[in-house]
Amino acid sequence: MLNFGPNGPRILWLLKYKALRQRDREREKQLSTKKMQRIIQTAVTLSHRNSRSRSNSRCFLSQLAHTQNSIQDNNDILTPKMPHFDYTPPPYTGPSSAEILKKRKEYLSPSLFHFYNNPLNLVDGKMQYLYDENGRRYLDSFGGIATVCCGHCHPDVVEAIVNQTKRLQHSTVLYLNNAIADFAEALASKMPGDLKVVYFTNSGTEANELALMIARLYSGCHDIISIRNGYHGNAAGTMGATAQSNYKFNVVQTGVHHALNPDQYRGVFGSDGVKYAKDVQDIIDYGTSGHVGGFIAEAIQGVGGIMELAPGYLQAVYDSIRKAGGLCIADEVQSGFARTGSHFWGFEAHGVVPDIVTMAKGIGNGIPIGAVVTTPEVAKVLTYRNYFNTFGGNPVCSAGGLAVLRVIEKEKLQQNAFVVGSYLKERLTALKEKHEIIGDVRGRGLMLGVELVTDRQLKTPAKDEILHIMDQMRELGVLIGKGGFYGNVFRITPPLCFTKEDADFLVDVMDYTMSKM
């Protein structure tokens, strides 16, 4: 047997992939040849049956030649065409990409990174499309990391923000203002059970920090359980709850236990959520005093690669946590606000009602705002001391957030996320049958993941290949995200106004790029 060294699996996969593509091309060629033979045979038969003029014969032969050329053209892969969109951005007169990159390197943190070999300078946005400095249009399949839900620069949201800014930009919650009260009322109406007390923050990290503190204060216990591969923020407490080494610095992080991830693709128990949940009970029994402060989890892990928790997991875990005196926290920063289509909140698909829900991103369609929603009983713990947030519930952000909720309802974006998301997932699943590099297609609504591997049996992450495909898709006009612990998962989280035509274009571009590898 040939020995290719440490790169053996990847080399063998590439050889297998090329062989499969060659086989497909040979089959297409054979089918075209057979079709051509049938056409010629039909022509011969007709010529024997009919005595036509030479002009008619010449006309027929011309049509025959045209048909042959069309068949030959069809053997080549056609470049996908972006759907029509009736908008032209105003001319851009600002600095070039090179100038911006130079300033960024000089004045901004070196921790900032960017997609693509040649960074993209985006200067305009409209609904599900973005435009670069040259006016070129791109289909936004990432939505600013699952943030833009209504669409870029949605007129209703922009109008609400501008009108409020003209009247009162900031006052703090020390004074009364209708914007924050109206938004809190509307948000509470979207929550199940007794979840109706809202505390506004500026981001998802801040919302999760507050939720963890509330759980610890209410329970009187410091121990928190989170899930491996989860991401909850990058401050002191949330970094502790986050369970990916890529996002954890070597600083003090105490009181957090990380349970086995109910990973339906790579996990040891497949899709059996109850078996994974036993690890949480084991942590309570062997790693704590028997009492815990709380449990925090995303219904679909976003940064972790669009990993939807195994069925039955949350119900079993919530039961264990509550018996141990803890509170259950649902991190809806990415999966909330109708993105999953089937439900308004991701946790609803699991048949549970949390004690605390955190949210951000889609709550403001790009506005820096987050929120914590809990019950009146739990909310009392913040009255024991002074807890204050200068910008939380800012009038401008609140007006924008309320407009977002109204747009979701008016334009039936949850229903659209379900219909278009289901269609897109079907197309991506069909693409998996064509390309060996696709190991898994998962998620729900317009929160989908496509995991790339170089070996389906070993599930070897295709780290280099995904970067190449991303670059090529960008050249064809599609912007897409990536994530997962190994960085080998496409994250598809577009604005919820995404259409079936957009879905077709996205899949066709991915297919086109993979076919040319």
Side-chain angles (χ1 to χ4, degrees), residues 63-202:
Q63 292 175 349
L64 190 64
H66 176 74
T67 303
Q68 185 175 8
N69 289 334
S70 297
I71 292 171
Q72 290 172 347
D73 290 340
N74 288 335
N75 286 334
D76 298 324
I77 303 172
L78 298 177
T79 304
K81 185 178 180 181
M82 188 179 294
H84 174 73
F85 189 66
D86 190 18
Y87 175 75
T88 302
Y92 173 69
T93 57
S96 67
S97 297
E99 293 174 289
I100 295 171
L101 187 60
K102 182 181 178 182
K103 288 183 180 181
R104 177 164 159 155
K105 289 180 178 179
E106 187 173 356
Y107 299 111
L108 294 177
S109 170
S111 66
L112 297 180
F113 58 91
H114 54 73
F115 280 161
Y116 310 116
N117 293 325
N118 296 313
L120 191 60
N121 179 23
L122 297 172
V123 302
D124 210 300
K126 195 69 172 176
M127 302 311 286
Q128 67 269 43
Y129 294 104
L130 291 166
Y131 299 82
D132 67 14
E133 59 190 321
N134 300 312
R136 183 182 177 184
R137 179 162 58 108
Y138 298 87
L139 178 63
D140 183 9
S141 304
F142 198 25
I145 315 179
T147 297
V148 180
C149 61
C150 299
H152 292 282
C153 299
H154 192 288
D156 291 8
V157 179
V158 171
E159 182 181 19
I161 293 170
V162 171
N163 288 343
Q164 181 61 53
T165 303
K166 286 180 178 179
R167 185 149 192 172
L168 180 65
Q169 185 176 349
H170 181 69
S171 62
T172 87
V173 292
L174 295 175
Y175 307 102
L176 299 181
N177 185 270
N178 71 294
I180 185 173
D182 291 344
F183 185 29
E185 180 184 33
L187 196 56
S189 72
K190 304 299 294 184
M191 307 301 302
D194 204 26
L195 293 165
K196 59 183 180 183
V197 178
V198 184
Y199 201 103
F200 289 109
T201 65
N202 303 295

Side-chain angles (χ1 to χ4, degrees), residues 82 86 123 127 140 144 205 233 271 292 361 388 429-430 514 516:
M82 188 179 294
D86 190 18
V123 302
M127 302 311 286
D140 183 9
T205 290
S271 296
V292 295
K361 292 186 181 290
F388 184 75
T429 302
M514 290 179 175
K516 286 188 169 292

Side-chain angles (χ1 to χ4, degrees), residues 252-447:
V252 175
Q253 301 167 44
T254 64
V256 181
H257 309 265
H258 301 113
L260 194 63
N261 184 27
D263 181 345
Q264 300 184 68
Y265 180 58
R266 296 175 181 274
V268 292
F269 300 124
S271 296
D272 193 334
V274 176
K275 288 184 178 178
Y276 290 108
K278 188 178 183 302
D279 188 50
V280 172
Q281 186 61 54
D282 286 345
I283 288 174
I284 294 171
D285 292 339
Y286 298 102
T288 74
S289 64
H291 298 281
V292 295
F295 169 83
I296 185 170
E298 309 158 88
I300 301 178
Q301 296 173 340
V303 174
I306 316 297
M307 299 297 304
E308 187 170 13
L309 305 186
Y313 177 78
L314 282 184
Q315 288 183 333
V317 168
Y318 276 27
D319 185 54
S320 294
I321 294 297
R322 284 168 174 157
K323 285 179 180 177
L327 297 182
C328 299
I329 305 168
D331 181 340
E332 291 288 329
V333 171
Q334 293 196 39
S335 60
F337 291 90
R339 178 158 294 281
T340 61
S342 57
H343 302 84
F344 199 83
W345 306 107
F347 66 79
E348 291 178 302
H350 294 265
V352 297
V353 177
D355 302 297
I356 304 174
V357 181
T358 62
M359 59 199 73
K361 292 186 181 290
I363 189 175
N365 201 53
I367 302 167
I369 185 171
V372 175
V373 183
T374 188
T375 66
E377 180 188 353
V378 173
K380 288 179 184 177
V381 298
L382 289 183
T383 66
Y384 302 158
R385 295 289 189 276
N386 288 329
Y387 187 84
F388 184 75
N389 190 309
T390 300
F391 298 107
N394 170 278
V396 174
C397 293
S398 295
L402 180 57
V404 167
L405 281 180
R406 288 172 174 169
V407 168
I408 291 174
E409 292 295 327
K410 182 177 75 172
E411 300 185 1
K412 295 181 172 56
L413 294 184
Q414 181 177 336
Q415 180 181 352
N416 189 69
F418 177 76
V419 173
V420 176
S422 299
Y423 174 75
L424 176 55
K425 188 175 182 181
E426 287 177 5
R427 284 222 55 196
L428 290 169
T429 302
L431 199 64
K432 177 186 172 185
E433 301 303 314
K434 182 177 181 181
H435 298 287
E436 285 284 322
I437 194 171
I438 299 178
D440 192 31
V441 174
R442 53 183 179 254
R444 62 173 60 212
L446 287 174
M447 190 171 184

